[in-house]
Amino acid sequence: ICRYLAARAGRSDLLPAEPLARARVEQWMDWQAGELNNSWRYAFMALVRRSPLHADAAQIAAGVAGWNRHMAILDGQ
């Protein structure tokens, strides 16, 4: 959706046309969709969505740790 909207609006400041610059943006878009989101999905469902199906404290803690680990990667960038 983000790629479509940026392209539709001609927002090359958000999604560059130059291949290397675009690849760098898309690298992080894909990373967050696969790595980041999957690392903390259980904790999100438990803590934000308050899903009764996501009440395992160990999995919540693992999700929070995954979030923090991935945020450190982003901070390093």
Side-chain angles (χ1 to χ4, degrees), residues 10-75:
R11 294 292 304 271
S12 61
D13 59 322
L14 296 175
L15 190 61
E18 192 275 317
L20 181 57
R22 184 181 184 114
R24 288 186 175 138
V25 170
E26 290 186 331
Q27 165 192 340
W28 289 107
M29 291 174 72
D30 295 342
W31 177 83
Q32 70 80 31
E35 293 290 323
L36 174 63
N37 287 348
N38 287 327
S39 74
W40 74 293
R41 185 175 317 279
Y42 192 95
F44 175 83
M45 292 301 295
L47 302 173
V48 176
R49 301 296 293 268
R50 301 192 188 281
S51 167
L53 301 175
H54 298 84
D56 183 305
Q59 288 192 52
I60 294 169
V64 170
W67 169 264
N68 289 325
R69 185 174 57 258
H70 285 82
M71 289 299 104
I73 293 169
L74 286 179
D75 285 345

